[in-house]
Amino acid sequence: MDRPVVPARPPVRPPSRRDQRRPGTVRPQRRPQIPPHELFAERLLAVLSGQKPVHWMLGQTVGDAYEQLVRLAPGTPLRARGVRPVIHTCRAFQPRTGVVEASASVAAGEQLRAMAFRLEQSADLRWRCAAVELGGERVTAGT
């Protein structure tokens, strides 16, 4: 049995539109995957420079890391007067699967600070911060 032929309708578009593409013909752009150590460096910088509150990292930390941030954040150790701090470099080392140890240098004007942190991948495959150090001094929850 033959199907009836339906006449094609002329394209419906605003008269000012010059784009000839039809819906579904353009592939969606994939967002570039940001490595977890770079993402966490930005997150930690936001908290330690006072741009975000410390509770913003609550679900993204494990162990003593949150307590370390609670102790560090009120002093905003990475805040600089008149200039917004940025991540200058960020490097990572993977000692074993599911663990990343990273270091970052934070630039604020002519000032350069060091930050180190450890990420651990949990059973749900999410990365969480397990430890934070600034300027070579480890901050413990009890001191």
Side-chain angles (χ1 to χ4, degrees), residues 11-119:
V12 179
R13 67 175 187 259
S16 61
R17 181 175 171 195
R18 304 278 185 245
D19 191 354
Q20 298 298 319
R21 295 175 295 180
R22 304 289 298 162
T25 60
V26 177
R27 293 183 189 163
Q29 296 287 327
R30 290 189 112 177
R31 290 178 29 190
Q33 188 70 16
I34 300 172
H37 65 280
E38 291 180 11
L39 182 65
F40 270 87
E42 292 289 342
R43 289 176 180 173
L44 289 170
L45 174 61
V47 169
L48 295 174
S49 65
Q51 298 170 34
K52 294 281 187 180
V54 70
H55 68 266
W56 185 61
M57 293 290 291
L58 189 57
Q60 301 171 34
T61 57
V62 292
D64 290 338
Y66 184 73
E67 293 302 320
Q68 291 171 339
L69 288 174
V70 165
R71 214 168 157 276
L72 281 171
T76 57
L78 298 179
R79 175 177 280 174
R81 289 186 178 187
V83 65
R84 186 176 180 167
V86 295
I87 300 296
H88 183 256
T89 62
C90 188
R91 294 185 171 88
F93 170 70
Q94 190 168 6
R96 67 175 191 267
T97 303
V99 175
V100 172
E101 294 180 352
S103 64
S105 60
V106 179
E110 293 183 16
Q111 185 181 25
L112 198 61
R113 298 284 313 268
M115 174 173 61
F117 53 97
R118 178 183 177 97
L119 301 177

